[in-house]
């Protein structure tokens, strides 16, 4: 076992859980994961991984697969830049994506990305895209992304790049190139070779394993430049520069949406609906566009397309029924997955994270509901499997709560899937209980380790996470119109989860609470509108509270029409807005929000607080300066957990 090299705590940059907090569940469960991102070098001898630093920063480390002390080579302070991910341009050079949120003088937070390259010794740091946040002709928001790693692994990358008109200093000359293009960039010298000229209408490009750009996606816009719900995809034949039509895709899922290209087989892989559920297809990139169905399920949507290694070769698809599953198209990896399941019997959630160029060495993740996860390196030649890292080392050796898939009947008799987490080592009758609806609403909960649910279970609460109607993942019929337009159905299912726990004898009806994040926070608040007497306490983290205001805020962005169509018009804009129905709510409310939230602006929580106070209702509001929707800071998360537990204990009159 080799996990020691990654767990060394002597490096001062690491964000360690204080020794005094080893019994403080809020600090233990609120800590960010020890591995934020991890990748394997092309020759399979090194790993690069991102770990949390003090406060909200991150540090990039490099270590040998066969052991040794990790070396810190790059870091970000989280104010505003965060290391989002890193991968290998060569065996001695890495490319990292930085993500940040800032207000560059436009009156509201704006997202930015930057790409930098750095040597494995920390030297020769180069920025691959824009230098400033704002230029004479607008914001420099995004640096693009890597779409192919050249087979030579020589430090060059094929990447999309955003071009904006720029006035040249002390001249009247300006660059007129604008839009998204594709370049081959040398990450050490910054030499650039143009592959695709910038297009103002391009939204994405897909390259095959050789770096040849084979597909372009164009987002349709209206006469005012606002995005429409339509992506137009075109493809190229091998060796051609001419674009041919491939598909016209909208959010209804009826048309093919490509996600990967196999140049050797001349195929595009992607998604299209079959019988009202998302399915995976392979489409020949030619005049006939022959379509082959690779995967469809009769109950749930297809999930992520699984890819491996430097070429991004498609090997299968992930999906989730009661528990996450996968179908592997590649016979070698299907057989290997079966052997790994036998070798790691207590860790059924296995996924292939990365591979060496020749795929002789693999980087794996394995976890479960009671194990946050651990990383392994598998050598195909020696057939050795070595553990190299823990996702949450501070929780190692602590008993976690088992997560059980359940179903309960909604008021209309529909069976609702959910996950039930009961506190370990306690009598499971008449417990204080939490209903925890997920965010989205175009999302779903899955079986596995959930730090938020596990924290509350460790504090003695029963926790149920319903995949209410309006959730994604179960097909069009289950999604109904979405969780906002069909809020009465979605929130009704949330409330029925609480009634089921009472009926089953799990929950004490006098000690029911609802806790949610994002849309889950919206559902938590709106549950008190639909049935004011059901819950005795409400915790809402970064919640939507006013649908009209949400649509109005989107007017600052080019996706305003898409957001407006998604939320819709009609009586639900008022009836389905907690801030407009505050007088109906009886339970005390605790609100949390970061003031740099891009998903749900902090004004939503402020409006809820004001409405509740005006209605004479008990409310507390906690703001985290400088943090966004995920509240990606261990100290802030621990504070949020601690405050919410104290609030719940007081409201539910717990000891």
């Amino acid at each position: 076992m080799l996990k020691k090299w990654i767990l060394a705590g002597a490096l001062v940059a690491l964000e360690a859980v204080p020794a005094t907090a080893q019994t403080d569940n809020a600090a233990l469960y609120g800590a960010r994961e020890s591995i934020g991102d991890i990748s394997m070098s092309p020759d399979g001898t090194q790993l690069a991984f991102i770990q949390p630093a003090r406060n909200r920063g991150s540090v990039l480390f490099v270590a040998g697969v066969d052991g040794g002390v990790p070396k810190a080579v790059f870091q970000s302070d989280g104010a505003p830049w965060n290391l989002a991910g890193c991968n290998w341009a060569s065996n001695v050079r890495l490319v990292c994506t930085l993500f940040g949120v800032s207000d560059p003088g436009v009156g509201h937070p704006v997202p930015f990305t930057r790409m930098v390259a750095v040597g494995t010794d920390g030297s020769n740091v180069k920025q691959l895209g824009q230098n400033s946040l704002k230029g004479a002709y607008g914001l420099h928001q995004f640096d693009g992304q890597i779409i192919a790693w050249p087979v030579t692994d020589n430090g060059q990358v094929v990447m999309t790049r955003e071009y904006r008109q720029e006035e040249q200093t002390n001249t009247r000359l300006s660059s007129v190139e604008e839009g998204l293009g594709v370049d081959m960039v040398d990450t050490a010298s910054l030499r650039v070779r143009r592959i695709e000229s910038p297009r103002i209408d391009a939204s994405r490009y897909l390259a095959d394993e050789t770096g040849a750009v084979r597909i372009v996606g164009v987002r349709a816009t209206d006469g005012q430049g606002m995005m429409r719900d339509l992506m137009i995809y075109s493809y190229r034949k091998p060796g051609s520069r001419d674009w041919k039509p491939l598909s016209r895709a909208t959010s209804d899922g009826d048309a093919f949406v490509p996600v990967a290209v196999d140049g050797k087989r001349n195929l595009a892989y992607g998604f299209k609906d079959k019988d009202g559920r998302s399915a995976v297809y392979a489409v020949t990139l030619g005049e006939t566009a022959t379509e082959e169905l690779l995967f469809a399920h009769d109950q749930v949507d297809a999930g992520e397309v699984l890819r491996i290694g430097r070429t991004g070769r498609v090997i299968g698809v992930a999906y989730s029924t009661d528990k996450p599953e996968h179908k592997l198209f590649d016979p070698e990896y299907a057989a290997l997955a079966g052997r790994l399941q036998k070798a790691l019997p207590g860790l059924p959630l296995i996924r292939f994270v990365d591979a060496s160029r020749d795929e002789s060495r693999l980087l794996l993740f394995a976890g479960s509901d009671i194990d946050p996860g651990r990383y392994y390196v598998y050598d195909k030649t020696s057939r050795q499997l070595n553990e190299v890292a823990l996702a949450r080392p501070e929780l190692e050796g602590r008993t976690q709560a088992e997560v059980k898939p359940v179903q309960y009947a909604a008021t209309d008799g529909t069976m609702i899937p959910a996950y039930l987490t009961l506190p370990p080592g306690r009598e499971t009758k008449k417990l204080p209980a939490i209903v925890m609806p997920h965010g989205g609403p175009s999302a779903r909960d899955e079986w596995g380790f959930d730090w938020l649910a596990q924290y509350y279970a460790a504090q003695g609460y029963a926790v149920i996470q319903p995949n209410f109607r309006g959730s994604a993942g179960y097909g069009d019929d289950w999604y109904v119109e979405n969780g906002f337009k069909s809020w009465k159905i979605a929130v009704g299912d949330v409330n029925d989860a609480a009634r089921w726990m009472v009926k089953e004898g799990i929950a004490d009806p006098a000690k029911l609470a609802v806790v949610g994040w994002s849309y889950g926070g919206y559902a938590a608040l709106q549950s008190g509108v639909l049935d004011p007497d059901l819950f005795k306490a409400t915790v809402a983290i970064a919640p939507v509270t006013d649908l009209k205001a949400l649509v109005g805020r989107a007017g600052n962005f080019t996706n305003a029409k898409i957001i407006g169509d998604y939320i819709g018009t009609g009586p639900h804009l008022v009836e389905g807005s907690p801030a407009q129905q505050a007088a109906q709510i009886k339970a005390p409310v605790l609100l949390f929000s970061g003031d740099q939230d891009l998903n749900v602006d902090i004004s939503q929580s402020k409006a809820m607080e004001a409405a509740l106070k005006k209605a004479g209702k008990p409310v507390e509001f906690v703001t985290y300066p400088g943090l966004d929707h995920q509240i990606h800071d261990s100290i802030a998360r621990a504070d949020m957990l601690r405050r919410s537990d104290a609030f719940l204990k007081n409201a539910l009159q717990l000891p």
Side-chain angles (χ1 to χ4, degrees), residues 40-47 65 91 355-358 360-361 377:
M40 177 176 279
S41 63
D43 63 6
T45 65
Q46 302 173 87
L47 297 177
V65 167
N91 291 315
S356 59
R357 169 64 71 175
D358 62 5
S360 64
R361 278 186 168 179
V377 169

Side-chain angles (χ1 to χ4, degrees), residues 116-297:
V116 298
V118 60
T120 53
D121 60 357
S123 67
N124 195 21
V125 178
K126 298 287 188 181
Q127 190 162 332
L128 303 185
Q130 310 286 351
N131 289 315
S132 60
L133 296 184
K134 193 174 182 182
Y137 290 85
L139 297 179
H140 296 160
Q141 274 190 265
F142 306 115
D143 264 3
Q145 59 184 6
I146 307 297
I147 60 172
W149 305 95
V151 68
T152 53
D153 294 320
N154 62 354
Q156 294 182 326
V157 296
V158 179
M159 64 178 290
T160 61
R161 301 174 89 195
E162 288 277 359
Y163 284 82
R164 291 287 178 263
Q165 291 186 14
E166 280 303 318
E167 185 175 341
Q168 302 299 307
T169 306
N170 300 323
T171 76
R172 293 187 178 182
L173 300 176
S174 66
S175 168
V176 296
E177 290 187 322
E178 188 168 9
L180 189 68
V182 180
D183 293 332
M184 174 88 79
V185 180
D186 187 303
T187 64
S189 68
L190 296 186
R191 287 192 296 269
V192 175
R193 178 170 68 84
R194 175 64 51 82
I195 295 177
E196 296 290 333
S197 296
R199 290 179 52 171
I200 191 66
D201 60 350
S203 291
R204 62 186 302 219
Y205 294 92
L206 296 178
D208 65 20
E209 66 275 15
T210 70
V213 176
R214 300 293 307 280
I215 291 176
V216 62
V218 172
R219 170 70 73 176
T221 58
D222 63 17
Q224 287 73 47
M226 305 302 286
M227 293 181 183
R228 294 167 53 203
D229 180 21
L230 174 63
M231 281 286 288
I232 303 169
Y233 292 99
S234 303
Y235 76 95
R236 282 183 177 138
K237 295 180 181 179
S240 172
R241 297 291 298 173
D242 298 328
W243 291 113
K244 303 287 186 180
L246 178 62
S247 65
R248 298 170 64 87
T250 64
S251 58
D252 63 16
D254 290 339
F256 180 70
V257 177
V259 296
V261 179
D262 185 325
K264 186 176 181 180
R265 301 179 64 194
N266 194 35
L267 293 176
Y269 295 89
F271 297 93
K272 191 176 85 166
D273 276 9
K274 182 181 185 299
D275 301 326
R277 283 174 290 275
S278 179
V280 175
Y281 289 82
V283 175
T284 304
L285 296 178
E287 300 292 348
T288 58
T290 304
E291 222 174 54
E292 179 187 0
L293 175 64
L294 297 178
F295 175 82
H297 196 279

Side-chain angles (χ1 to χ4, degrees), residues 219-554:
R219 170 70 73 176
T221 58
D222 63 17
Q224 287 73 47
M226 305 302 286
M227 293 181 183
R228 294 167 53 203
D229 180 21
L230 174 63
M231 281 286 288
I232 303 169
Y233 292 99
S234 303
Y235 76 95
R236 282 183 177 138
K237 295 180 181 179
S240 172
R241 297 291 298 173
D242 298 328
W243 291 113
K244 303 287 186 180
L246 178 62
S247 65
R248 298 170 64 87
T250 64
S251 58
D252 63 16
D254 290 339
F256 180 70
V257 177
V259 296
V261 179
D262 185 325
K264 186 176 181 180
R265 301 179 64 194
N266 194 35
L267 293 176
Y269 295 89
F271 297 93
K272 191 176 85 166
D273 276 9
K274 182 181 185 299
D275 301 326
R277 283 174 290 275
S278 179
V280 175
Y281 289 82
V283 175
T284 304
L285 296 178
E287 300 292 348
T288 58
T290 304
E291 222 174 54
E292 179 187 0
L293 175 64
L294 297 178
F295 175 82
H297 196 279
D298 62 0
Q299 295 180 355
V300 298
D301 292 325
E304 176 188 10
V305 166
L306 302 177
R307 307 174 70 179
I308 190 70
R310 304 287 292 172
T311 64
R313 183 166 61 89
V314 172
I315 60 170
V317 59
Y319 61 101
S320 189
T321 53
D322 286 345
K323 295 183 179 181
E325 302 181 47
H326 57 247
K327 178 181 179 181
L328 295 174
F329 313 137
D330 185 285
E332 179 190 2
Y333 281 93
L336 176 57
R339 294 198 300 271
L340 289 169
Q341 291 283 7
K342 293 179 181 178
L344 303 168
L347 301 170
L349 302 181
I350 295 174
R351 58 182 170 88
F352 299 104
V353 177
D354 204 358
S356 59
R357 169 64 71 175
D358 62 5
E359 297 183 25
S360 64
R361 278 186 168 179
L362 305 177
L363 177 62
L364 317 170
F365 172 87
S368 73
D369 58 337
I370 58 173
D371 191 316
R374 45 201 73 220
Y375 293 87
Y376 296 86
V377 169
Y378 177 70
D379 190 301
K380 289 183 181 179
T381 304
S382 66
R383 294 196 173 186
Q384 287 187 336
L385 180 67
N386 291 317
E387 183 182 305
V388 295
L390 298 174
R392 292 181 177 271
E394 64 277 357
L395 295 178
E396 184 74 350
R398 292 176 61 92
T399 300
Q400 305 300 326
E402 293 184 3
V403 180
K404 180 182 178 182
V406 297
Q407 288 189 331
Y408 63 88
T411 301
D412 64 2
T414 302
M415 298 305 294
I416 311 297
Y419 297 101
L420 179 65
T421 305
L422 299 176
R426 293 190 55 171
E427 177 68 29
T428 58
K429 296 292 183 181
K430 296 285 186 177
L431 292 170
I434 293 172
V435 178
M436 189 182 296
H438 60 71
S442 301
R444 58 159 291 175
D445 274 318
E446 294 186 355
W447 183 87
F449 182 89
D450 182 313
W451 63 272
L452 198 58
Q454 288 288 345
Y455 168 72
Y456 289 119
Q459 297 301 102
Y461 302 91
V463 181
I464 191 168
Q465 296 169 273
N467 280 324
F468 45 85
R469 282 169 289 182
S471 301
Y474 295 90
D476 294 343
D477 290 344
W478 194 262
Y479 188 66
V480 286
E481 288 188 273
N482 69 46
F484 290 118
K485 291 179 180 177
S486 302
W487 73 268
K488 288 183 180 179
I489 296 174
V491 176
D493 289 351
V494 170
N495 287 357
D496 284 336
R499 298 185 184 101
W500 176 81
M501 283 200 293
V502 171
K503 180 181 177 182
E504 292 295 308
I506 298 168
D508 183 337
K511 296 179 177 11
L512 286 173
V514 58
V515 177
W517 200 318
S518 193
Y519 177 86
Y522 164 85
L525 292 165
Q526 197 66 2
S527 68
V529 175
L530 198 61
D531 188 344
D533 296 311
L534 181 62
F535 294 109
K536 312 308 175 188
T538 302
V539 177
I541 307 162
V544 171
T545 70
D546 191 310
L547 299 183
K548 280 187 177 179
L550 183 67
V551 173
R553 188 78 178 184

Side-chain angles (χ1 to χ4, degrees), residues 51-72:
Q51 288 196 313
R54 291 197 181 112
N55 299 320
R56 58 197 65 168
S58 300
V59 181
L60 171 65
F61 289 91
V62 172
V65 167
D66 296 325
V69 177
K71 180 178 181 179

